[in-house]
Short mmCIF file of all heavy atoms in Angstrom, two decimals:
data_model
loop_
_atom_site.label_atom_id
_atom_site.label_comp_id
_atom_site.label_asym_id
_atom_site.label_seq_id
_atom_site.Cartn_x
_atom_site.Cartn_y
_atom_site.Cartn_z
N ASP A 135 -14.32 2.16 -11.14
CA ASP A 135 -15.13 1.62 -10.05
C ASP A 135 -16.39 2.46 -9.85
O ASP A 135 -16.36 3.51 -9.21
CB ASP A 135 -14.29 1.58 -8.76
CG ASP A 135 -15.04 0.95 -7.60
OD1 ASP A 135 -16.18 0.46 -7.82
OD2 ASP A 135 -14.50 0.94 -6.48
N ASN A 136 -17.50 1.97 -10.41
CA ASN A 136 -18.78 2.65 -10.18
C ASN A 136 -19.57 1.92 -9.09
O ASN A 136 -20.78 2.09 -8.96
CB ASN A 136 -19.57 2.81 -11.48
CG ASN A 136 -19.70 1.49 -12.22
OD1 ASN A 136 -19.66 0.42 -11.62
ND2 ASN A 136 -19.85 1.54 -13.53
N GLU A 137 -18.87 1.08 -8.36
CA GLU A 137 -19.39 0.43 -7.15
C GLU A 137 -20.63 -0.43 -7.41
O GLU A 137 -21.55 -0.46 -6.59
CB GLU A 137 -19.66 1.47 -6.06
CG GLU A 137 -18.42 2.27 -5.69
CD GLU A 137 -18.64 3.25 -4.54
OE1 GLU A 137 -19.80 3.63 -4.31
OE2 GLU A 137 -17.65 3.62 -3.89
N GLY A 138 -20.65 -1.11 -8.55
CA GLY A 138 -21.76 -2.02 -8.80
C GLY A 138 -21.77 -2.52 -10.23
O GLY A 138 -20.97 -2.09 -11.06
N TYR A 139 -22.68 -3.46 -10.51
CA TYR A 139 -22.89 -3.97 -11.86
C TYR A 139 -23.91 -3.06 -12.52
O TYR A 139 -25.11 -3.30 -12.46
CB TYR A 139 -23.44 -5.39 -11.81
CG TYR A 139 -22.50 -6.41 -11.23
CD1 TYR A 139 -22.37 -6.60 -9.87
CD2 TYR A 139 -21.73 -7.22 -12.08
CE1 TYR A 139 -21.52 -7.54 -9.34
CE2 TYR A 139 -20.86 -8.17 -11.56
CZ TYR A 139 -20.76 -8.31 -10.18
OH TYR A 139 -19.90 -9.25 -9.67
N MET A 140 -23.43 -2.00 -13.15
CA MET A 140 -24.34 -0.98 -13.64
C MET A 140 -25.01 -1.38 -14.95
O MET A 140 -26.19 -1.13 -15.17
CB MET A 140 -23.59 0.34 -13.80
CG MET A 140 -23.06 0.86 -12.47
SD MET A 140 -24.30 0.68 -11.18
CE MET A 140 -23.47 1.38 -9.78
N ASN A 141 -24.25 -2.03 -15.83
CA ASN A 141 -24.76 -2.38 -17.15
C ASN A 141 -25.97 -3.31 -17.11
O ASN A 141 -26.80 -3.33 -18.01
CB ASN A 141 -23.61 -3.04 -17.93
CG ASN A 141 -23.94 -3.27 -19.37
OD1 ASN A 141 -23.91 -4.40 -19.86
ND2 ASN A 141 -24.27 -2.22 -20.07
N THR A 142 -26.07 -4.11 -16.05
CA THR A 142 -27.15 -5.10 -15.97
C THR A 142 -28.25 -4.66 -15.01
O THR A 142 -29.12 -5.45 -14.65
CB THR A 142 -26.58 -6.47 -15.55
OG1 THR A 142 -25.54 -6.26 -14.58
CG2 THR A 142 -26.01 -7.22 -16.73
N GLY A 143 -28.21 -3.43 -14.53
CA GLY A 143 -29.32 -2.94 -13.70
C GLY A 143 -28.96 -2.58 -12.28
O GLY A 143 -29.77 -2.76 -11.37
N TYR A 144 -27.72 -2.08 -12.07
CA TYR A 144 -27.31 -1.48 -10.79
C TYR A 144 -27.33 -2.47 -9.62
O TYR A 144 -27.79 -2.14 -8.52
CB TYR A 144 -28.17 -0.23 -10.46
CG TYR A 144 -28.57 0.56 -11.67
CD1 TYR A 144 -29.92 0.83 -11.95
CD2 TYR A 144 -27.60 1.02 -12.55
CE1 TYR A 144 -30.27 1.54 -13.09
CE2 TYR A 144 -27.96 1.74 -13.69
CZ TYR A 144 -29.30 1.98 -13.96
OH TYR A 144 -29.65 2.67 -15.07
N GLN A 145 -26.86 -3.70 -9.87
CA GLN A 145 -26.76 -4.66 -8.76
C GLN A 145 -25.50 -4.38 -7.92
O GLN A 145 -24.56 -3.77 -8.41
CB GLN A 145 -26.68 -6.11 -9.30
CG GLN A 145 -27.92 -6.58 -10.01
CD GLN A 145 -27.88 -6.30 -11.51
OE1 GLN A 145 -26.94 -5.72 -12.04
NE2 GLN A 145 -28.92 -6.71 -12.20
N ARG A 146 -25.49 -4.88 -6.70
CA ARG A 146 -24.32 -4.70 -5.84
C ARG A 146 -23.15 -5.54 -6.35
O ARG A 146 -23.33 -6.61 -6.92
CB ARG A 146 -24.64 -5.05 -4.38
CG ARG A 146 -25.08 -6.46 -4.09
CD ARG A 146 -23.94 -7.40 -3.91
NE ARG A 146 -23.54 -7.56 -2.53
CZ ARG A 146 -22.49 -8.27 -2.16
NH1 ARG A 146 -21.74 -8.90 -3.06
NH2 ARG A 146 -22.18 -8.39 -0.90
N SER A 147 -21.96 -5.02 -6.16
CA SER A 147 -20.76 -5.82 -6.41
C SER A 147 -19.98 -5.85 -5.09
O SER A 147 -20.41 -5.24 -4.11
CB SER A 147 -19.88 -5.17 -7.50
OG SER A 147 -19.21 -4.03 -6.97
N SER A 148 -18.82 -6.49 -5.09
CA SER A 148 -18.11 -6.52 -3.80
C SER A 148 -17.38 -5.21 -3.53
O SER A 148 -16.83 -5.03 -2.45
CB SER A 148 -17.19 -7.72 -3.69
OG SER A 148 -16.24 -7.72 -4.69
N THR A 149 -17.39 -4.26 -4.46
CA THR A 149 -16.85 -2.93 -4.11
C THR A 149 -17.99 -1.94 -3.76
O THR A 149 -17.71 -0.77 -3.50
CB THR A 149 -15.98 -2.31 -5.23
OG1 THR A 149 -16.78 -2.10 -6.38
CG2 THR A 149 -14.80 -3.18 -5.58
N THR A 150 -19.23 -2.39 -3.77
CA THR A 150 -20.32 -1.52 -3.30
C THR A 150 -20.09 -1.25 -1.81
O THR A 150 -19.84 -2.18 -1.05
CB THR A 150 -21.69 -2.23 -3.47
OG1 THR A 150 -21.85 -2.58 -4.84
CG2 THR A 150 -22.84 -1.34 -3.04
N PRO A 151 -20.16 0.01 -1.38
CA PRO A 151 -19.92 0.27 0.04
C PRO A 151 -21.08 -0.16 0.93
O PRO A 151 -22.22 -0.26 0.47
CB PRO A 151 -19.74 1.79 0.08
CG PRO A 151 -20.46 2.30 -1.11
CD PRO A 151 -20.39 1.23 -2.16
N MET A 152 -20.76 -0.38 2.19
CA MET A 152 -21.77 -0.74 3.18
C MET A 152 -22.86 0.35 3.21
O MET A 152 -22.55 1.53 3.17
CB MET A 152 -21.10 -0.84 4.55
CG MET A 152 -21.97 -1.43 5.62
SD MET A 152 -20.98 -1.75 7.08
CE MET A 152 -20.60 -0.10 7.63
N GLY A 153 -24.11 -0.08 3.25
CA GLY A 153 -25.22 0.87 3.38
C GLY A 153 -25.80 1.34 2.06
O GLY A 153 -26.91 1.88 2.03
N ALA A 154 -25.09 1.13 0.94
CA ALA A 154 -25.59 1.65 -0.35
C ALA A 154 -26.81 0.86 -0.80
O ALA A 154 -26.83 -0.37 -0.73
CB ALA A 154 -24.49 1.57 -1.40
N SER A 155 -27.81 1.58 -1.30
CA SER A 155 -28.99 0.93 -1.84
C SER A 155 -28.73 0.59 -3.31
O SER A 155 -28.36 1.45 -4.11
CB SER A 155 -30.18 1.88 -1.72
OG SER A 155 -31.33 1.28 -2.25
N THR A 156 -28.87 -0.70 -3.64
CA THR A 156 -28.72 -1.14 -5.04
C THR A 156 -29.94 -1.98 -5.38
O THR A 156 -30.76 -2.27 -4.49
CB THR A 156 -27.45 -1.99 -5.22
OG1 THR A 156 -27.65 -3.25 -4.57
CG2 THR A 156 -26.20 -1.32 -4.67
N SER A 157 -30.04 -2.46 -6.63
CA SER A 157 -31.25 -3.23 -6.97
C SER A 157 -31.27 -4.58 -6.26
O SER A 157 -32.32 -5.18 -6.11
CB SER A 157 -31.37 -3.38 -8.48
OG SER A 157 -30.26 -4.05 -8.99
N THR A 158 -30.12 -5.08 -5.81
CA THR A 158 -30.11 -6.35 -5.08
C THR A 158 -29.92 -6.16 -3.57
O THR A 158 -29.98 -7.13 -2.81
CB THR A 158 -29.02 -7.30 -5.62
OG1 THR A 158 -27.82 -6.54 -5.84
CG2 THR A 158 -29.43 -7.96 -6.92
N THR A 159 -29.65 -4.93 -3.15
CA THR A 159 -29.60 -4.62 -1.70
C THR A 159 -30.45 -3.35 -1.50
O THR A 159 -29.93 -2.31 -1.08
CB THR A 159 -28.16 -4.36 -1.20
OG1 THR A 159 -27.58 -3.28 -1.97
CG2 THR A 159 -27.27 -5.58 -1.30
N PRO A 160 -31.74 -3.43 -1.81
CA PRO A 160 -32.53 -2.19 -1.79
C PRO A 160 -32.79 -1.70 -0.37
O PRO A 160 -32.83 -2.50 0.57
CB PRO A 160 -33.85 -2.61 -2.46
CG PRO A 160 -33.92 -4.08 -2.27
CD PRO A 160 -32.53 -4.60 -2.19
N ALA A 161 -32.93 -0.40 -0.23
CA ALA A 161 -33.29 0.15 1.08
C ALA A 161 -34.81 0.06 1.20
O ALA A 161 -35.54 0.55 0.34
CB ALA A 161 -32.84 1.59 1.18
N GLY A 162 -35.27 -0.62 2.23
CA GLY A 162 -36.71 -0.77 2.43
C GLY A 162 -36.95 -1.29 3.83
O GLY A 162 -36.12 -1.07 4.72
N THR A 163 -38.06 -2.01 4.02
CA THR A 163 -38.35 -2.48 5.38
C THR A 163 -37.52 -3.69 5.77
O THR A 163 -37.11 -3.84 6.91
CB THR A 163 -39.85 -2.82 5.51
OG1 THR A 163 -40.23 -3.53 4.33
CG2 THR A 163 -40.71 -1.59 5.69
N ILE A 164 -37.20 -4.56 4.79
CA ILE A 164 -36.44 -5.78 5.13
C ILE A 164 -34.93 -5.52 5.02
O ILE A 164 -34.17 -5.75 5.94
CB ILE A 164 -36.85 -6.95 4.20
CG1 ILE A 164 -38.35 -7.22 4.37
CG2 ILE A 164 -36.04 -8.21 4.51
CD1 ILE A 164 -38.96 -8.14 3.35
N SER A 165 -34.54 -4.99 3.88
CA SER A 165 -33.10 -4.71 3.66
C SER A 165 -32.86 -3.22 3.86
O SER A 165 -33.75 -2.40 3.63
CB SER A 165 -32.76 -5.15 2.23
OG SER A 165 -31.72 -4.38 1.70
N HIS A 166 -31.67 -2.89 4.32
CA HIS A 166 -31.35 -1.46 4.53
C HIS A 166 -30.06 -1.09 3.82
O HIS A 166 -29.18 -0.44 4.38
CB HIS A 166 -31.28 -1.18 6.03
CG HIS A 166 -31.81 0.18 6.37
ND1 HIS A 166 -31.22 1.03 7.26
CD2 HIS A 166 -32.91 0.83 5.91
CE1 HIS A 166 -31.92 2.15 7.32
NE2 HIS A 166 -32.95 2.04 6.52
N GLY A 167 -29.93 -1.55 2.57
CA GLY A 167 -28.69 -1.31 1.84
C GLY A 167 -27.73 -2.47 2.04
O GLY A 167 -28.02 -3.42 2.77
N LYS A 168 -26.55 -2.37 1.40
CA LYS A 168 -25.59 -3.48 1.48
C LYS A 168 -25.09 -3.66 2.92
O LYS A 168 -24.64 -2.69 3.54
CB LYS A 168 -24.42 -3.21 0.53
CG LYS A 168 -23.53 -4.44 0.35
CD LYS A 168 -22.28 -4.08 -0.46
CE LYS A 168 -21.32 -5.23 -0.48
NZ LYS A 168 -19.94 -4.81 -0.66
#
Side-chain angles (χ1 to χ4, degrees):
D135 183 5
N136 51 27
E137 302 184 337
Y139 294 83
M140 297 317 181
N141 188 238
T142 38
Y144 326 124
Q145 295 91 358
R146 61 85 93 185
S147 74
S148 60
T149 63
T150 303
M152 190 170 69
S155 179
T156 70
S157 60
T158 43
T159 58
T163 42
I164 300 169
S165 150
H166 216 223
K168 192 187 172 207

